[in-house]
Amino acid sequence: MNARTAAACPPPIPRHRLIADTALDLLAERGMRGLTHRAVDEAAGLPQGSTSNLARTRAALLAAAVTRLAEREAAVLAPREMPGVVDPEAAGPAALAEALALALHRYLSHHRGLLIARYELALEATRRPELREVYDRAGRAFREPVQALLAAAGSPAPERQALALVAWCDGVLFSCVAGQFHAAVPTRDALRTSCAELLGGMLRG
């Protein structure tokens, strides 16, 4: 293989990432019952026993899936797209509504399977304390920046209002993926308007 050919070939996916991504795909396609070590090996095209070597137990496999879920969800909205990163003075309600609308629209347009996997893992976390800890830690990576952005936008109670805003985002995602509004993806403009209305009510005065 010459240098040009080598440069054209993408680097191999690390096995731990391949296994975690495959686990998320299986959760979205088959649900929790369809996630087994053998199923991951088969779907990923790996030798039998590869997943067990990386994640010995089902709990370890689920934890790997949650960790990878957090990584992929963090990449939906690039840090430079968050308000206040490029221009600290721009971290107001309009910029926050724009960023959240962009993230929600990307989820609903390109990452529906990831959302379904998240719902499967969230329900499982209610029954597994060790998974609950991993899931909650991943969730803080989203909740805490939203709280900080609300504070920068003038929120009088950023912690309380972050709960309402995150719950609203989660509700929109669930309704448009698995609920009564699953048939059509809201436009980015519609999401921006709704988010701006919510923030306007929160931050008024």
Side-chain angles (χ1 to χ4, degrees):
M1 179 183 295
N2 58 38
R4 180 177 297 180
T5 303
C9 295
I13 299 174
R15 181 164 291 193
H16 71 278
R17 187 191 302 171
L18 174 61
I19 286 173
D21 281 337
T22 303
L24 291 172
D25 290 342
L26 287 171
L27 284 168
E29 294 169 7
R30 307 179 189 178
M32 193 60 64
R33 290 186 178 181
L35 179 65
T36 65
H37 288 73
R38 180 185 293 274
V40 173
D41 287 341
E42 292 175 352
L46 294 172
Q48 186 175 339
S50 297
T51 301
S52 294
N53 287 336
L54 180 75
R56 290 285 181 184
T57 65
R58 182 171 179 80
L61 180 57
L62 291 171
V66 170
T67 301
R68 181 59 179 151
L69 174 71
E71 293 173 353
R72 290 177 59 179
E73 290 194 326
V76 170
L77 194 68
R80 61 179 171 77
E81 295 174 302
M82 291 299 291
V85 174
V86 177
D87 180 5
E89 295 184 358
L96 181 53
E98 178 66 44
L100 289 175
L102 177 58
L104 292 171
H105 193 261
R106 283 180 179 169
Y107 272 122
L108 295 172
S109 301
H110 306 295
H111 303 285
R112 297 174 77 89
L114 201 62
L115 288 168
I116 295 171
R118 186 215 289 181
Y119 301 143
E120 291 282 349
L121 289 166
L123 289 173
E124 190 68 11
T126 66
R127 309 177 188 100
R128 292 177 177 265
E130 72 283 0
L131 185 61
R132 178 84 268 168
E133 182 179 353
V134 178
Y135 191 92
D136 288 349
R137 185 167 61 247
R140 285 195 295 271
F142 176 74
R143 186 179 71 249
E144 290 174 356
V146 168
Q147 185 174 322
L149 288 168
L150 281 168
S155 169
E159 184 174 354
R160 174 175 58 79
Q161 292 186 336
L163 168 61
L165 186 56
V166 171
W168 178 82
C169 290
D170 281 341
V172 169
L173 293 172
F174 183 86
S175 295
C176 294
V177 169
Q180 296 184 28
F181 298 93
H182 66 90
V185 175
T187 66
R188 184 173 162 186
D189 285 344
L191 291 167
R192 183 194 305 111
T193 298
S194 295
C195 190
E197 290 171 346
L198 179 64
L199 287 169
M202 286 181 172
L203 302 176
R204 185 176 296 120

